[in-house]
Amino acid sequence: MYAGQEGGAYAKNSFGNVYTAVGVFVLGRMFHEAWGTEAIRKQAEFNEFLEKNHMCISMELVTAVLGDHGQRPIDDYVVVTAVTEVGSGKPKFFSTPELIAFCRKWRLPTNHVWLFSTRKSATSFFAAYDALCEEGTATPVCKALDEVADISVPGSKDHIKVQGEILEGLVARIVSRDSSNHMEEVLREFPPPLMDGIVHDLGPSLREICAVNRSDEKQQIQALLQHAGTSLCPSFCDWFGNGAVGIHFRNADRSVLSKFLQAHPADFSTTKLQEMIRLMRQRHFGVAFKCYCNFNKIDSLSSDDLHFKMVIHVHNDSVFRRYQQEMRRNRGLWPLYRGFFVDIDMFKLNKEKAAELVKDGNMLLKNINGSDVSSSVSDGLADEDANLMVKLKFLTYKLRTFLIRNGLSILFKDGPSAYKTYYLRQMKNWGTSTIKQKELSKMLDEWAVYIRRKCGNRPLSSSTYLSEAEPFLEQYAKRSPQNQALIGSAGSLVSTENFLAIIDGGRDEEGDLHLDEEVTPLQPSPSTIDTVPKDEGLIVFFPGIPGCAKSALCKEILNTPGVLGDDRPIQSLMGDLIKGRYWQKVIDERKKKPSVITLADKNAPNEEVWKLIEDMCRSTKASAIPVVPDSEGTDSNPFSLDALAVFIFRVLQRANHPGNLDKASPNAGYVLLMFYHLYEGKNRKEFETELFERFGALVKMPLLKPDRNSLPEPMKAILEEGISLFRLHTNRYGRYKTEPSKGSYAKEWAQWEKRLREVLFGNADYLNSIQIPFDIAVKQVIEQLKDVVKGEHKTPETEKRKFGNIVFAAVTMPVKEINCLLNEIAEKEPKVKDFLGDKDLENNLRKAHVTLAHKRSHGVTAVASYGIFEKQNIPVDVTALLFSDKSAALEVQLGSVNGENISSKNEWPHVTLWTAAGVPPKEANALPQLLIEGKASRVEIEPPFTIAGVMDFY
């Protein structure tokens, strides 16, 4: 397994803007630092090499001129994060050893890399992270990883010297066993490169250029590109267009995307790119495809050929989950990344050339399918690399970026209460330890008062927020060592006011998109529902499907005053009776009566609606509770086919429905399938986890009996047929654009709707028998809602890994067996019986352990070294009882696990049993010395009594 540093960086997958101009300049400067007088020649060779070998270099740009991000770097630099061959066939990512070799050959900067090639070192790595995740900064983290790693490859740039102590995080990647041998070979063959240009005059720095050229963004870009040189940037047309055509023609015609998808692919890569784009458009994923004219080929613009650049940008993390579900169904689908751009050329061919192209394409496919697997694939575990990587961020970074910077708009727009709601939700989602949550809450509340008092109603800019935050954090850290550990590092503020780059206000943070495409912004979650304050409102909403009985449930609640054990008024707003924008109507009603309990009687099926509800919670001072029909779900949908069958069956039994969705509706089956597919891409666990993380509670409405018989085959077949027909329909027409009765599948839909009714009503007895009776379901939902209102609702367990702040490693001992042993000793030794007589250890001894290593006393590495033994049984021999008037403990000897002896870093391994009032448990360590001084007693246990303990982290 590899781990590498992740610094605060601008990874702008774009072109033709100030972000990439800064990147080009900094990369050019890196070449000059590395190659000195040879830099220009090496830049030209490098560009030629990339073009010839169809390679892509991914880098992270770390700079202070593009706005604040975690901590302002001391210097501006780039680091290479990935090297990819994008020639014929699937892109092949270089393994870590290959990346190091490539970068050292070209003298390109890399991050610090650690290799953990054994189970022991790998488990120690994760334990070290858990021990440092809430307080770690660059110096202790790098020191700890150097000590536990099998191979450590220092970065080209010293993080502390160029970035500072605040470390964003680590990226860990699973690799094959052969990777360690490969890395050792690379390090022998490619020693760290010389830096020939350090002693030379490199010309004006990035910050100096930005400071001098501050009239407008165009001037800054032009100055940066000119200083980068013609080897790296031979043409400025990507930024400024072409003089003959003009910058206003930069955006390509929107039709080029459709033309590209209809074109015959000239190679395999184009085929797979078309496949990716078609799928994302058909599934209506939140992805932007922005096309720009390629001015490098301006001479072809007047011909029938089309040359453009396409920027592909994923707006929401949920898209990746949904896309991964598609990859499981289609193993040949190429992976999706956060953002990237490609050059696309479309040209017309005569018939002979087209036939030749088809023949070449078929041959290319055969060659790819039979091609040899490179070492890149071997070290990267082929297609699995994207699923076997994890980002591990540090709290000292998240404090600055997520809790302070990202909370600014909420703090200034909605006030301190909403801000507190936001940061508490973030910390809860991260699994932050209770003690750190308390410390951060105190500090962030003070920050909110301080910055609002200083700025008044003028919001603090997120681009320069560190100008205010860093001095505040520095002063706060000076108050106590505890505060210093919380903040991590503060005080080395770099002033940016004179060189901050000028960025158009209409551009989003990715730099390649403009606000002409509306994107729903990510909203923070409402507060954790411990109890619902009486002066606040409550929104009960339903992420369900028509037929899930939400309206019937709302009616039962509305007609039974006080049913929720709460005296606040209840209002129900039925979506089918409200004209116009439903959720805006809910907002308007809640503003009139903010303390009311609102039953939002409308299906809330997707993240856009959930975000809107979150926003409503803040703006109308309310909490929200999702009520969901209970169902097992499928691999890609939170609702099973059984549940779907029941929902459709219920709808087809309705009459005179206000929304006209009943037995008289000719397209009722189609409408239910449409709602069903709104949830596509999430399994049940993902669905429930996301709702709980957003709203802090989740109420389940019983639906199906657990001991029911399987869905009859005819019913399963008719539903699967409908799902297939729905996908055909939406692939051709998109969702909501063409009614089934008007499209080319109109006949098929009519026949399916008819047979659907025949099958469902033919199995009516089965469908009625598998449902939980409605009165029982209502009773259980009301009980859960009452618990939420009172703060007694039990949170559903999730399988998400909890990153805790490990303090020490220990062997947890069973208290019951220890008490039994003490009773046996007391029976034999009167002085022990007298000593234990008033201690009542049966009730007072609730936990017991043998400390192995403590972070403060022995260091992070010592604690992490026990990671390989976590949760394993360890035999512990109890050899003696020592006690004084202030403490008592059992002396122990630790056994072995799989032939490896376990030893404690403490000089005297023991189990603390009791300490007098006001005496800390650590004082038990003094018992052996007190024994020598005659101030303690010792009772031997012969033969030693063996108890099995379990190794745990605390």
Side-chain angles (χ1 to χ4, degrees):
M1 183 187 72
Y2 281 112
Q5 283 177 331
E6 183 186 20
Y10 286 86
K12 300 300 171 189
N13 304 284
S14 56
F15 79 102
N17 53 50
V18 69
Y19 297 101
T20 46
V22 169
V24 167
F25 174 85
V26 175
L27 179 60
R29 195 172 180 86
M30 295 287 100
F31 265 98
H32 281 281
E33 285 184 5
W35 294 100
T37 57
E38 293 288 298
I40 295 176
R41 181 175 66 84
K42 282 295 179 180
Q43 286 174 356
E45 289 180 9
F46 184 64
N47 280 343
E48 183 181 356
F49 178 83
L50 297 183
E51 290 282 349
K52 182 179 178 181
N53 293 279
H54 303 287
M55 300 184 75
C56 175
I57 311 298
S58 302
M59 305 183 192
E60 285 203 2
L61 170 63
V62 183
T63 179
V65 307
L66 294 175
D68 289 341
H69 185 82
Q71 182 185 38
R72 287 179 188 166
I74 301 165
D75 198 2
D76 306 298
Y77 63 100
V78 294
V79 288
V80 176
T81 56
V83 178
T84 320
E85 294 176 352
V86 290
S88 59
K90 186 175 182 178
K92 295 178 182 177
F93 286 85
F94 275 28
S95 67
T96 305
E98 289 172 327
L99 184 143
I100 296 292
F102 178 88
C103 290
R104 288 190 171 183
K105 175 183 176 182
W106 290 101
R107 300 187 185 179
L108 296 173
T110 56
N111 267 325
H112 200 144
V113 173
W114 294 272
L115 173 64
F116 307 90
S117 58
T118 64
R119 183 172 178 268
K120 183 174 183 178
S121 63
T123 53
S124 295
F125 161 70
F126 284 110
Y129 170 75
D130 276 352
L132 290 165
C133 64
E134 293 190 341
E135 295 180 355
T137 54
T139 296
V141 169
C142 292
K143 180 178 182 294
L145 297 190
D146 282 341
E147 291 174 356
V148 300
D150 298 302
I151 297 177
S152 175
V153 185
S156 308
K157 297 281 186 179
D158 186 323
H159 191 283
I160 298 168
K161 293 180 179 178
V162 294
Q163 171 71 63
E165 278 288 353
I166 299 303
L167 183 63
E168 178 174 348
L170 303 166
V171 178
R173 179 187 180 201
I174 304 296
V175 294
S176 73
R177 292 180 179 273
D178 296 335
S179 202
S180 58
N181 295 330
H182 192 180
M183 178 63 84
E184 289 172 352
E185 292 173 6
V186 165
L187 296 180
R188 284 193 299 268
E189 187 176 350
F190 298 94
L194 300 174
M195 303 299 284
D196 294 339
I198 293 294
V199 297
H200 293 90
D201 179 15
L202 302 177
S205 69
L206 171 65
R207 301 179 188 191
E208 289 170 340
I209 294 173
C210 288
V212 171
N213 299 276
R214 292 190 57 78
S215 61
D216 59 35
E217 182 183 4
K218 181 177 179 181
Q219 183 192 51
Q220 280 188 337
I221 292 174
Q222 197 160 13
L224 289 168
L225 298 178
Q226 287 172 345
H227 281 88
T230 56
S231 295
L232 266 186
C233 188
S235 169
F236 297 176
C237 61
D238 279 343
W239 285 267
F240 305 119
N242 182 281
V245 178
I247 187 64
H248 56 282
F249 284 110
R250 186 169 181 246
N251 288 8
D253 188 281
R254 290 181 179 271
S255 67
V256 297
L257 181 58
S258 298
K259 292 177 181 176
F260 168 66
L261 294 177
Q262 295 167 9
H264 184 89
D267 55 28
F268 185 66
S269 298
T270 306
T271 301
K272 303 308 288 184
L273 179 62
Q274 288 176 321
E275 181 183 25
M276 291 175 67
I277 296 174
R278 286 194 189 101
L279 184 139
M280 288 186 281
R281 295 186 79 199
Q282 290 164 1
R283 298 287 188 266
H284 303 278
F285 289 172
V287 181
F289 305 96
K290 193 85 171 184
C291 299
Y292 302 92
C293 295
N294 189 344
F295 289 103
N296 290 300
K297 300 180 179 180
I298 191 67
D299 294 336
S300 301
L301 287 176
S302 59
S303 69
D304 291 330
D305 299 342
L306 287 174
H307 307 276
F308 60 96
K309 296 175 183 286
M310 180 192 299
V311 176
I312 301 173
H313 182 63
V314 179
H315 291 313
N316 196 303
D317 286 344
S318 64
V319 171
F320 293 104
R321 292 196 297 268
R322 297 174 64 188
Y323 192 86
Q324 285 166 2
Q325 294 285 352
E326 299 293 339
M327 290 182 68
R328 293 190 185 106
R329 298 189 193 99
N330 179 1
R331 303 299 294 181
L333 196 62
W334 278 10
L336 178 66
Y337 303 98
R338 169 65 64 186
F340 54 96
F341 69 94
V342 291
D343 286 351
I344 294 177
D345 301 318
M346 291 194 295
F347 43 90
K348 287 191 174 182
L349 300 174
N350 55 42
K351 292 182 179 180
E352 292 76 13
K353 184 66 177 177
E356 181 182 342
L357 190 62
V358 172
K359 182 179 178 181
D360 291 343
N362 292 335
M363 184 60 68
L364 179 62
L365 281 170
K366 291 180 181 179
N367 291 338
I368 289 166
N369 292 334
S371 61
D372 186 30
V373 179
S374 70
S375 59
S376 298
V377 174
S378 176
D379 281 341
L381 296 186
D383 299 342
E384 296 301 316
D385 60 348
N387 296 322
L388 298 174
M389 298 175 71
V390 61
K391 282 189 173 184
L392 306 168
K393 294 186 184 293
F394 291 96
L395 187 59
T396 51
Y397 165 82
K398 293 191 288 188
L399 155 66
R400 289 161 167 79
T401 302
F402 299 110
L403 301 186
I404 293 181
R405 187 192 71 176
N406 291 5
L408 286 174
S409 60
I410 299 167
L411 175 60
F412 281 93
K413 179 182 177 183
D414 301 319
S417 178
Y419 177 58
K420 191 179 188 73
T421 290
Y422 164 71
Y423 73 65
L424 286 175
R425 167 60 53 206
Q426 288 285 57
M427 289 191 285
K428 183 176 179 62
N429 288 345
W430 296 336
T432 307
S433 66
T434 302
I435 188 170
K436 287 299 179 185
Q437 287 195 46
K438 290 179 180 178
E439 291 175 8
L440 282 171
S441 295
K442 180 182 177 183
M443 188 273 290
L444 291 169
D445 287 345
E446 189 172 324
W447 157 254
V449 173
Y450 165 81
I451 198 61
R452 279 171 60 88
R453 184 180 297 157
K454 184 167 186 178
C455 294
N457 295 324
R458 179 176 53 85
L460 179 63
S461 170
S462 61
S463 296
T464 58
Y465 78 100
L466 286 176
S467 295
E468 297 294 345
E470 201 68 34
F472 170 83
L473 294 174
E474 181 183 8
Q475 292 302 314
Y476 194 86
K478 288 179 179 178
R479 297 182 195 172
S480 68
Q482 182 187 55
N483 286 3
Q484 182 63 57
L486 179 72
I487 301 304
S489 175
S492 56
L493 181 66
V494 176
S495 178
T496 63
E497 283 71 16
N498 294 325
F499 58 74
L500 195 68
I502 299 167
I503 301 171
D504 284 346
R507 184 176 302 151
D508 82 334
E509 68 168 15
E510 288 302 320
D512 51 29
L513 301 171
H514 295 262
L515 297 184
D516 55 354
E517 292 188 48
E518 184 177 346
V519 181
T520 305
L522 285 171
Q523 301 289 354
S525 304
S527 61
T528 305
I529 302 177
D530 295 322
T531 60
V532 180
K534 300 298 182 183
D535 61 341
E536 292 189 2
L538 179 65
I539 303 169
V540 180
F541 70 101
F542 301 88
I545 292 174
C548 68
K550 65 184 180 306
S551 296
L553 173 65
C554 291
K555 187 176 180 181
E556 290 287 329
I557 295 174
L558 196 63
N559 291 339
T560 313
V563 69
L564 298 181
D566 193 286
D567 57 1
R568 283 172 295 178
I570 300 175
Q571 69 173 175
S572 180
L573 299 173
M574 188 176 185
D576 294 314
L577 297 178
I578 292 176
K579 305 298 181 183
R581 299 169 61 191
Y582 173 81
W583 294 107
Q584 185 58 52
K585 177 67 174 178
V586 176
I587 293 172
D588 294 340
E589 290 296 318
R590 287 207 46 75
K591 287 181 178 178
K592 295 176 186 175
K593 301 176 181 179
S595 63
V596 75
I597 296 176
T598 302
L599 305 179
D601 184 5
K602 183 178 179 64
N603 289 298
N606 50 34
E607 293 168 358
E608 285 74 22
V609 176
W610 302 345
K611 291 170 190 171
L612 195 151
I613 294 172
E614 289 176 311
D615 191 41
M616 194 190 313
C617 287
R618 290 195 308 275
S619 63
T620 67
K621 201 176 182 183
S623 301
I625 305 173
V627 178
V628 300
D630 202 2
S631 172
E632 298 91 342
T634 70
D635 289 341
S636 60
N637 198 296
F639 298 104
S640 65
L641 290 181
D642 309 52
L644 177 61
V646 168
F647 295 151
I648 299 175
F649 182 62
R650 288 175 175 177
V651 166
L652 293 177
Q653 291 178 298
R654 302 193 302 206
N656 301 317
H657 184 261
N660 297 320
L661 184 60
D662 51 32
K663 62 184 180 181
S665 171
N667 299 325
Y670 169 82
V671 173
L672 269 289
L673 287 175
M674 182 181 69
F675 273 93
Y676 182 76
H677 279 81
L678 289 174
Y679 297 92
E680 193 70 14
K682 288 187 179 74
N683 60 33
R684 188 69 186 190
K685 185 179 78 173
E686 293 168 338
F687 171 70
E688 291 185 357
T689 298
E690 180 162 357
L691 282 169
F692 171 72
E693 288 181 351
R694 286 176 181 272
F695 300 102
L698 182 68
V699 169
K700 296 183 180 182
M701 185 172 184
L703 176 65
L704 303 174
K705 296 177 180 178
D707 57 348
R708 66 188 183 275
N709 293 326
S710 300
L711 197 67
E713 197 59 40
M715 205 179 306
K716 181 181 178 183
I718 194 68
L719 292 174
E720 290 178 342
E721 180 185 339
I723 289 171
S724 298
L725 183 58
F726 182 85
R727 287 175 178 166
L728 285 173
H729 181 89
T730 53
N731 286 347
R732 173 166 293 189
Y733 300 108
R735 292 180 187 174
Y736 325 120
K737 293 182 180 179
T738 302
E739 294 181 12
S741 59
K742 296 180 181 179
S744 57
Y745 298 105
K747 182 178 179 181
E748 287 83 353
W749 275 120
Q751 293 173 347
W752 179 79
E753 293 275 3
K754 182 174 181 293
R755 285 187 287 109
L756 173 69
R757 287 158 174 75
E758 292 171 354
V759 171
L760 293 183
F761 286 112
N763 289 275
D765 289 342
Y766 168 82
L767 289 170
N768 286 322
S769 69
I770 66 173
Q771 298 181 51
I772 300 286
F774 179 67
D775 58 335
I776 295 176
V778 170
K779 183 179 179 181
Q780 291 191 24
V781 169
I782 289 175
E783 288 302 316
Q784 293 177 70
L785 287 173
K786 286 167 68 175
D787 288 344
V788 170
V789 171
K790 292 187 295 183
E792 298 174 357
H793 185 64
K794 291 267 194 292
T795 298
E797 289 293 328
T798 66
E799 296 181 19
K800 288 183 67 175
R801 182 172 186 265
K802 299 294 184 184
F803 293 111
N805 186 17
I806 290 176
V807 177
F808 63 94
V811 179
T812 303
M813 303 291 286
V815 172
K816 185 176 180 180
E817 291 188 37
I818 289 176
N819 276 319
C820 289
L821 172 62
L822 292 174
N823 290 334
E824 289 182 18
I825 298 172
E827 289 296 322
K828 298 176 182 178
E829 298 285 343
K831 63 179 180 179
V832 173
K833 187 173 184 179
D834 291 342
F835 174 78
L836 295 177
D838 61 348
K839 304 298 186 294
D840 192 18
L841 294 186
E842 293 281 352
N843 294 313
N844 292 331
L845 182 62
R846 298 178 181 178
K847 296 180 180 180
H849 65 264
V850 182
T851 299
L852 298 174
H854 196 285
K855 185 167 65 173
R856 301 292 180 220
S857 304
H858 307 106
V860 170
T861 306
V863 175
S865 66
Y866 293 98
I868 193 172
F869 305 115
E870 187 177 12
K871 300 302 180 185
Q872 296 202 40
N873 291 328
I874 297 176
V876 180
D877 289 340
V878 182
T879 58
L881 169 65
L882 280 73
F883 57 93
S884 71
D885 60 344
K886 293 184 178 180
S887 63
L890 292 173
E891 181 181 271
V892 301
Q893 290 182 352
L894 299 169
S896 62
V897 176
N898 299 325
E900 186 169 350
N901 290 328
I902 308 300
S903 61
S904 172
K905 305 299 181 186
N906 276 343
E907 291 184 14
W908 183 58
H910 65 278
V911 179
T912 301
L913 301 174
W914 167 86
T915 58
V919 177
K922 68 178 182 179
E923 291 300 317
N925 282 293
L927 281 169
Q929 181 61 36
L930 293 174
L931 181 65
I932 294 172
E933 297 172 2
K935 299 178 181 179
S937 301
R938 175 186 175 94
V939 176
E940 296 287 337
I941 300 175
E942 287 288 349
F945 189 84
T946 303
I947 301 176
V950 177
M951 192 271 142
D952 285 311
F953 286 117
Y954 290 86

